[in-house]
Amino acid sequence: HEDGKFSKSRKTGLFGDDAIKTGIPCDVYRYYLLVNRPENADTTFSWKDLQEKLNKELLANIGNLVNRTLMFIKNFQEGMIYEAVLDETATNFWEYVTEEEVQITDDLEHCKEKDALRRIMIVSQRGNQYFQEQQPWKTRTEDPESCRRAMFILTNVIKDLAILLEPFMPETSKRIFSQLNIECMPWNELSNLLLHNHMIGEPVPSFSNLEDKDV
């Protein structure tokens, strides 16, 4: 209900059965409510804002990183994550990720869930930037070792994102683990380059675009 407070007695608001009927995954609602969670006052629910959070953050960020990385590995590496020696750029990127994971853990230990989730999204955004910077579509023929290194780092970042997202978006986390073809991993497996010489599962889109007509 966008123009006033939710009220069960007045039957104004978005209730569980209504949310189910929309077909929008529950994790999208979880994400929206967490990032919009009020600190000191009420907040307003907006379908347009939900659409933007889904399309511009979840789909364009997390969904894009997972799908483009795993589809590339499926199409150009026969589904195999190869182990690679890190160069300076890869080492710096991985150090950035692991430092952020320490901060995310600290945020959660201090009940700063919104801060932790926003930091997770920034890590994912940085992963997309790294993908673009490494240009695997070019290096796969010009410098195969560089291409394999980029995919090695990115799939381990995706593994860590699946761990980090589990408290917030458990269904999304499970789907990412399934696409990686590994069991769900605990928090203490963060910051470990575990995935190498490993076959991934079948890549599938993590989120679907929410069109204006559906809003």
Side-chain angles (χ1 to χ4, degrees), residues 123-137:
V123 169
S124 174
Q125 185 179 44
R126 183 66 188 89
N128 277 305
Q129 292 171 357
Y130 181 79
F131 189 107
Q132 288 299 114
E133 291 163 3
Q134 294 304 301
Q135 299 183 310
W137 58 90

Side-chain angles (χ1 to χ4, degrees), residues 121-175:
M121 296 302 288
I122 292 170
V123 169
S124 174
Q125 185 179 44
R126 183 66 188 89
N128 277 305
Q129 292 171 357
Y130 181 79
F131 189 107
Q132 288 299 114
E133 291 163 3
Q134 294 304 301
Q135 299 183 310
W137 58 90
K138 288 177 61 177
T139 58
R140 70 184 182 89
T141 54
E142 297 172 4
D143 187 356
E145 178 61 22
S146 175
C147 180
R148 290 183 175 190
R149 180 189 302 118
M151 294 302 109
F152 170 55
I153 286 289
L154 286 167
T155 47
N156 279 281
V157 170
I158 289 168
K159 178 266 294 180
D160 279 10
L161 287 169
I163 295 171
L164 294 167
L165 286 171
E166 198 279 334
F168 305 98
M169 305 173 67
E171 298 304 318
T172 300
S173 174
K174 286 178 186 176
R175 285 197 298 272

Side-chain angles (χ1 to χ4, degrees), residues 175-188:
R175 285 197 298 272
I176 295 173
F177 280 123
S178 176
Q179 292 176 68
L180 290 172
N181 192 29
I182 57 176
E183 296 295 323
C184 296
M185 290 187 170
W187 206 262
N188 62 10

Side-chain angles (χ1 to χ4, degrees), residues 40-155:
N40 300 306
D42 290 339
T43 189
T44 301
F45 180 91
S46 161
W47 284 109
K48 192 67 179 176
D49 190 29
L50 179 80
Q51 179 192 29
E52 291 190 359
K53 292 287 193 298
L54 169 54
N55 294 349
K56 296 182 180 180
E57 295 180 20
L58 292 177
L59 178 60
N61 193 340
I62 296 280
N64 187 45
L65 176 63
V66 173
N67 195 248
R68 74 197 301 202
T69 300
L70 300 189
M71 284 300 296
F72 187 94
I73 291 170
K74 177 187 177 183
N75 292 333
F76 301 113
Q77 296 188 179
E78 295 78 44
M80 175 66 72
I81 304 164
Y82 295 99
E83 188 170 15
V85 177
L86 304 191
D87 62 2
E88 183 179 1
T89 301
T91 299
N92 291 340
F93 174 48
W94 186 245
E95 286 179 353
Y96 157 78
V97 171
T98 58
E99 288 167 3
E100 287 299 296
E101 289 169 351
V102 170
Q103 187 59 56
I104 291 164
T105 302
D106 186 70
D107 285 341
L108 287 173
E109 288 175 346
H110 290 87
C111 300
K112 297 179 180 178
E113 290 88 355
K114 185 188 289 190
D115 290 346
L117 186 53
R118 290 195 183 282
R119 200 177 290 272
I120 291 167
M121 296 302 288
I122 292 170
V123 169
S124 174
Q125 185 179 44
R126 183 66 188 89
N128 277 305
Q129 292 171 357
Y130 181 79
F131 189 107
Q132 288 299 114
E133 291 163 3
Q134 294 304 301
Q135 299 183 310
W137 58 90
K138 288 177 61 177
T139 58
R140 70 184 182 89
T141 54
E142 297 172 4
D143 187 356
E145 178 61 22
S146 175
C147 180
R148 290 183 175 190
R149 180 189 302 118
M151 294 302 109
F152 170 55
I153 286 289
L154 286 167
T155 47

